[in-house]
Amino acid sequence: MDLAGLTRDLEALRDEVVSAVAGTQEVSALAALEVDVLGKKGRLGVVLRGIGGLPTDDRPRVGAVANAVRVAVEEVFQARGVELRAKELEARFRAETVDVTTPGRPIRRGSLHPIVETAGRIAEIFSQFGFVVHEGPEVEDDLTNFQMLNIPPDHPARDLWDTLYVDIDGKLLRTHTSPGQIRVMHASTPPIRALLPGRCFRYEAIDASHASEFFQVEGLMIDEGTTLGDLRGLLDQFAQAMFGQGKRTRFRPGYYPFTEPSVAFDVECVVCGGSGCPACSRSGWMTILGAGMVHPVVLQYGGLDPERYQGFAFGMGVERIANLRHSVGDLRLYMENDLRFLEQFR
Ligand code: DAH
């Protein structure tokens, strides 16, 4: 190869590389091309190796041309690199754009469980009559759950409550909220107006109308000169507030060991309005709670003088009230925490 030939080759390589560089679209392709041309075994090197075959006098001139070609080629790589990196960065920014004005994903809001909500409504109504909410323990003793409520150990009335016992100190899971009456009497002096909401437990075979865990709200009022008429008036007000104005109510005789007399409190059927339907077994009435005048023996166990004080008590099942308010027909729904059920009570 002579001087002119080598110079031509170098210039041809330069022109080819300049147009190839201009045609690259990606940083990675440019880098590959750079290795191919300027790398150790690159094409420029191959041409330069031809210099060794030239006469000594010609070498500096070709060397100068070769250097100029290298500098020119390096410059176009450098310039195209700047361009391509800027382009790729811009594309990335465009792809990763965040629109800060986009509305956020809505947070799914929870809501009160229908039992909690119903118990809250019951408390709200009675609080308007001066009742104050108290709470007793779920693990009770036999004395408070039964004996002090006038239910002795071998009394047949114990059959009313199928009890779950706890393996410590003869304790049990309270079968009703009534033991709270005793606790309130011990802790306060009349006049007493207490409301006791809480979870209760019974040994039951579970079906649509029986649960082994359920909620009650207990009420207790004790003062001098309290009468059954006061109880009747209060419960009537409660029924109107809970189920609607103008609802008829009635007392029927009932039996509970801790009240004398004892009554069942009925409200006109909320489904048929009293004409009789399957929901009220065609009677037109629905029993919503048990109540009565606190038995003198219970007052005594509570540390109060029955000659001076009288009182009434009542106890209702929260699920029963919630069923009537929301037309729910199966107690199990309250315990399953199925969102399809719960979301209906927002
Ligand atoms: N404790 C009763 C039960 O679980 C409900 C009850 C009835 C409560 C009459 C009372 C009451 O306070 O006077 O079935």
Side-chain angles (χ1 to χ4, degrees), residues 90-303:
E90 198 192 313
R92 217 181 95 199
F93 284 161
R94 222 178 300 116
E96 293 176 1
T97 294
V98 172
D99 179 358
V100 294
T101 67
T102 307
R105 291 196 188 90
I107 294 168
R108 277 165 60 107
R109 272 224 272 156
S111 53
L112 290 181
H113 190 282
I115 293 303
V116 173
E117 190 270 331
T118 298
R121 178 75 188 123
I122 294 168
E124 184 178 65
I125 294 169
F126 282 105
S127 74
Q128 290 168 0
F129 296 96
F131 282 73
V132 175
V133 171
H134 296 248
E135 267 175 66
E138 291 176 359
V139 177
E140 261 295 1
D141 46 65
D142 191 277
L143 207 59
T144 320
N145 192 82
F146 289 123
Q147 297 175 48
M148 288 181 166
L149 290 168
N150 199 28
I151 310 165
D154 298 315
H155 195 281
R158 289 222 176 184
D159 288 352
L160 290 175
W161 298 277
D162 296 302
T163 309
L164 287 161
Y165 291 90
V166 179
D167 232 2
I168 33 165
D169 303 335
K171 299 243 191 224
L172 47 80
L173 297 180
R174 67 175 170 202
T175 57
H176 50 181
T177 43
S178 301
Q181 291 185 33
I182 302 293
R183 293 180 176 273
V184 166
M185 283 187 255
H186 286 162
S188 35
T189 46
I192 292 170
R193 268 176 281 187
L195 209 63
L196 293 139
R199 193 191 296 263
C200 306
F201 307 84
R202 286 183 201 173
Y203 180 67
E204 295 275 6
I206 292 159
D207 61 25
S209 51
H210 294 88
S212 55
E213 254 179 80
F214 54 96
F215 288 80
Q216 287 188 340
V217 174
E218 188 86 9
L220 177 70
M221 167 148 175
I222 293 175
D223 203 347
E224 295 177 30
T226 311
T227 69
L228 194 66
D230 296 330
L231 173 63
R232 180 82 166 85
L234 175 68
L235 293 181
D236 194 67
Q237 293 291 310
F238 167 70
Q240 314 295 319
M242 183 59 87
F243 300 111
Q245 292 302 317
K247 285 266 178 301
R248 289 176 301 146
T249 62
R250 72 177 185 187
F251 270 177
R252 282 184 300 118
Y255 173 72
Y256 296 98
F258 33 88
T259 43
E260 181 56 40
S262 300
V263 298
F265 180 65
D266 294 355
V267 179
E268 182 183 293
C269 177
V270 299
V271 179
C272 65
S275 54
C277 68
C280 58
S281 311
R282 317 227 158 267
S283 71
W285 296 97
M286 286 178 150
T287 302
I288 60 164
L289 56 84
M293 300 306 290
V294 179
H295 197 291
V297 164
V298 175
L299 289 172
Q300 263 166 350
Y301 279 127

Side-chain angles (χ1 to χ4, degrees), residues 36-49:
D36 187 44
V37 176
L38 296 173
K40 255 196 198 146
K41 295 174 186 158
R43 292 171 60 195
L44 187 62
V46 170
V47 177
L48 290 183
R49 241 163 272 139

